[in-house]
Amino acid sequence: MRGHDWINTLLPDELLIEIFRRLDSKSNRDASSLVCTRWLRLERLTRAAIRIGASGSPDLLIHLLAARFSNITTVHIDERLSVSIPAHLGRRRSSGNSSVKLHDVNDKHGSASDQSDLDSLCLSDSGLASLAEGFPKLEKLRLIWCSNVTSEGLSSLARKCTSLKSLDLQGCYVGDQGLAAIGQCCKQLEDLNLRFCEGLTDNGLVELALGVGNALKSLGVAACAKITDVSMEVVGSQCRSLETLSLDSEFIHNKGVLAVIKGCPHLKVLKLQCINLTDDTLNVAGTSCLSLELLALYSFQRFTDKGLCAIGNGCKKLKNLTLSDCYFLSDKGLEVIATGCKELTHLEVNGCHNIGTLGLESVGKSCQHLSELALLYCQRIGDAGLVQVGQGCKFLQALQLVDCSSIGDEAMCGIASGCRNLKKLHIRRCYEIGNKGIIAVGEKCKLLTDLSIRFCDRVGDRALIAIAEGCSLHYLNVSGCHLIGDAGVIAIARGCPQLCYLDVSVLQVCILLFFLIPKAM
């Protein structure tokens, strides 16, 4: 019956809220909220997360959002992101004799050159206090490069948001007092990121560790010059439920890391970029971290095969391994990892110049569950290594090759023959790979949806035609492949109707392409 609103008449608030929660996209939720004032009010109750960029005035914006969305549990504020302000919010709002104006960060003609105006573009302690007041149910907060936030704001947040479980302070110049307040008030805190928090010292981290204790499960510290082994030892003794540790520091040594490794038996993720660590750390990890699933070693000058062998012999649950710029690691260490860690699914070797073909052959022979492989700047790995991966790693879904000068068509043919589940293939500046290898991929890897062959100057139209005939691509990047012309790109346009991303930069292709793609898509 026209003119009768049966939905609003018959359905209670609880049922409408549940329907809104099940909508599959933000655009659908936004559209639903415009139906009527009741739907607008109820849809707002379903919003659990908000994301704020470098808006004209984040303090005022938080106040406005808090008045509209009462059930927010996740807030992400990133002052690196430029977000334009809606026109109706940019107008001057007045109440009595006071007025507040939202400034647009893109306005070059305003008075933003003034320091006071610049400060108004950043989240302040007052804004953080408003956030705490407006979102008392807050569980997850990310403050990325909010440089005006200090310990005072963090303390006010801690007192109000006692259910906080995750806190990211990357680039915030907060001090020890604020971090101590978090430890005293937020007893459920599980995840803490302190990257580039230059104002912190051991005192703040010690107070936090003493406060949250076993609740803390993840800790990240980077570029904090005053956080040393002292606080790491307290973390090791107080936070025994810690599962993830990420360290990037010149001031943390074996002593601090060993304290965490020995004191936290549930450690699953270990990411280390500390130039003062030695094999002693990995030797103890191999015997103490039996639950370790992810290990990432970055820019180490002092680790050798001895330490990596300890991991391979002890950490049987290891699934994800990243080795970046580890110059003293060789095929021997990778072989022990491959034979000892048979559950390995993700492997990245980046700039480890002493790891070559033999090491990768060991992975191909032993790691049957490997699903992602990245080889970057590996000049000593040749075709035979990838051929063995093709023979042994049938579940490989993603392969990335960057500046691997010894890998050519034979390797790609081997991957194509054995890895029929391949979905993502990214190749950059591998000059020995040509049409033959990519044609083999097109003929045999029918599940491939993501292909990037940047600056592979031996790949031409014949390869793209084979890809178009055999694969349904969603993503294609052929930037810098000078042998690719109109014929190859037109074949892709006709053969891949689901293509949603195409990069043909640094190519000379006919403008006919722009008429073909809309018809194909």
Side-chain angles (χ1 to χ4, degrees):
M1 295 175 63
R2 293 183 179 180
H4 291 272
D5 187 351
W6 293 110
I7 295 179
N8 278 324
T9 302
L10 299 177
L11 297 184
D13 287 354
E14 293 78 12
L15 187 54
L16 280 175
I17 289 174
E18 187 61 30
I19 292 173
F20 291 144
R21 282 177 176 157
R22 292 174 182 268
L23 294 179
D24 58 357
S25 67
K26 181 179 182 297
S27 59
N28 286 337
R29 292 193 297 271
D30 289 341
S32 298
S33 69
L34 298 177
V35 170
C36 62
T37 55
R38 183 194 181 201
W39 286 27
L40 176 62
R41 175 178 59 83
L42 295 179
E43 191 278 333
R44 284 175 174 174
L45 296 177
T46 69
R47 298 294 178 108
I50 58 173
R51 182 183 180 92
I52 303 173
S55 58
S57 176
D59 290 358
L60 179 55
L61 187 57
I62 286 172
H63 178 74
L64 295 173
L65 292 172
R68 288 163 170 78
F69 306 105
S70 58
N71 290 326
I72 295 295
T73 59
T74 299
V75 175
H76 181 178
I77 302 177
D78 190 341
E79 295 193 353
R80 299 170 303 177
L81 304 177
S82 178
V83 178
S84 60
I85 298 300
H88 71 283
L89 292 181
R91 291 192 290 268
R92 188 177 297 271
R93 299 168 177 266
S94 60
S95 175
N97 296 325
S98 62
S99 63
V100 181
K101 182 177 180 180
L102 286 175
H103 301 278
D104 189 342
V105 294
N106 297 315
D107 183 5
K108 299 180 180 179
H109 305 290
S111 58
S113 56
D114 257 0
Q115 184 59 46
S116 59
D117 286 340
L118 286 174
D119 288 343
S120 73
L121 302 179
C122 301
L123 181 70
S124 68
D125 287 339
S126 176
L128 195 56
S130 297
L131 184 148
E133 192 74 34
F135 304 124
K137 300 177 183 179
L138 195 66
E139 295 181 358
K140 184 176 182 179
L141 176 62
R142 299 190 69 194
L143 301 177
I144 309 300
W145 295 102
C146 297
S147 54
N148 278 5
V149 170
T150 69
S151 285
E152 182 180 350
L154 202 57
S155 298
S156 63
L157 174 83
R159 289 190 291 269
K160 293 289 185 179
C161 301
T162 56
S163 298
L164 196 67
K165 294 182 180 180
S166 177
L167 179 61
D168 189 339
L169 297 174
Q170 178 173 320
C172 297
Y173 200 83
V174 294
D176 294 334
Q177 182 181 357
L179 202 59
I182 294 292
Q184 293 169 4
C185 301
C186 305
K187 300 298 185 180
Q188 301 178 51
L189 189 71
E190 297 178 356
D191 184 3
L192 177 64
N193 182 17
L194 302 178
R195 292 178 60 82
F196 306 107
C197 295
E198 298 177 358
L200 293 176
T201 72
D202 282 326
N203 293 333
L205 186 52
V206 166
E207 290 297 323
L208 180 126
L210 292 173
V212 300
N214 286 333
L216 194 66
K217 293 182 179 180
S218 176
L219 174 64
V221 177
C224 300
K226 297 179 181 179
I227 290 182
T228 68
D229 294 336
V230 173
S231 53
M232 288 296 105
E233 289 183 281
V234 177
V235 169
S237 63
Q238 299 296 318
C239 307
R240 294 185 57 81
S241 297
L242 196 71
E243 296 179 358
T244 299
L245 178 65
S246 177
L247 297 178
D248 180 356
S249 174
E250 301 177 15
F251 306 97
I252 294 176
H253 302 73
N254 283 341
K255 184 179 181 182
V257 180
L258 288 176
V260 176
I261 290 175
K262 293 176 180 178
C264 304
H266 306 292
L267 205 62
K268 295 180 180 179
V269 176
L270 187 59
K271 300 179 181 180
L272 300 174
Q273 187 168 346
C274 306
I275 61 174
N276 292 311
L277 299 185
T278 67
D279 281 336
D280 292 342
T281 299
L282 294 187
N283 289 338
V284 175
T287 57
S288 300
C289 299
L290 302 184
S291 299
L292 194 67
E293 296 180 2
L294 186 152
L295 176 65
L297 307 177
Y298 300 98
S299 302
F300 279 107
Q301 306 290 335
R302 305 175 69 179
F303 275 145
T304 69
D305 289 332
K306 180 181 178 181
L308 199 59
C309 289
I311 296 295
N313 290 326
C315 303
K316 303 299 183 181
K317 296 182 180 180
L318 191 70
K319 296 180 179 180
N320 191 317
L321 176 65
T322 296
L323 305 174
S324 180
D325 297 325
C326 300
Y327 302 129
F328 293 112
L329 299 181
S330 70
D331 292 333
K332 179 182 178 181
L334 190 56
E335 180 180 359
V336 175
I337 287 287
T339 55
C341 307
K342 296 183 182 298
E343 300 300 315
L344 199 69
T345 59
H346 297 69
L347 174 64
E348 177 180 331
V349 181
N350 183 349
C352 301
H353 303 304
N354 287 317
I355 292 180
T357 302
L358 293 177
L360 191 60
E361 285 182 328
S362 301
V363 172
K365 293 175 182 177
S366 301
C367 302
Q368 298 180 2
H369 300 287
L370 194 70
S371 61
E372 292 190 20
L373 174 63
L375 303 175
L376 294 78
Y377 311 101
C378 296
Q379 309 297 333
R380 296 187 58 187
I381 294 180
D383 287 344
L386 275 181
V387 169
Q388 185 61 58
V389 169
Q391 293 175 359
C393 305
K394 304 298 183 182
F395 300 103
L396 191 71
Q397 296 184 19
L399 175 62
Q400 181 181 8
L401 304 173
V402 176
D403 281 357
C404 296
S405 58
S406 300
I407 291 177
D409 285 335
E410 182 183 351
M412 297 313 304
C413 290
I415 290 292
S417 297
C419 304
R420 302 298 179 92
N421 294 308
L422 194 67
K423 297 179 180 178
K424 177 179 178 180
L425 176 61
H426 282 201
I427 304 172
R428 178 156 55 97
R429 293 194 301 267
C430 294
Y431 302 116
E432 296 301 314
I433 296 177
N435 282 334
K436 182 180 178 182
I438 303 302
I439 289 173
V441 170
E443 292 175 346
K444 298 176 181 179
C445 300
K446 304 298 183 180
L447 300 179
L448 190 73
T449 59
D450 185 343
L451 175 63
S452 176
I453 41 177
R454 299 174 60 193
F455 300 99
C456 294
D457 53 13
R458 293 183 58 207
V459 177
D461 288 335
R462 289 196 300 121
L464 279 198
I465 292 171
I467 291 292
E469 292 175 350
C471 309
S472 181
L473 292 185
H474 297 173
Y475 178 107
L476 176 63
N477 189 332
V478 291
S479 173
C481 298
H482 301 295
L483 295 182
I484 290 178
D486 293 335
V489 180
I490 290 172
I492 290 292
R494 289 173 172 165
C496 301
Q498 297 185 22
L499 193 71
C500 58
Y501 179 94
L502 175 64
D503 188 342
V504 291
S505 57
V506 205
L507 296 186
Q508 295 179 355
V509 294
C510 178
I511 196 169
L512 178 63
L513 166 68
F514 297 99
F515 295 97
L516 286 171
I517 287 183
K519 295 178 182 179
M521 298 177 67

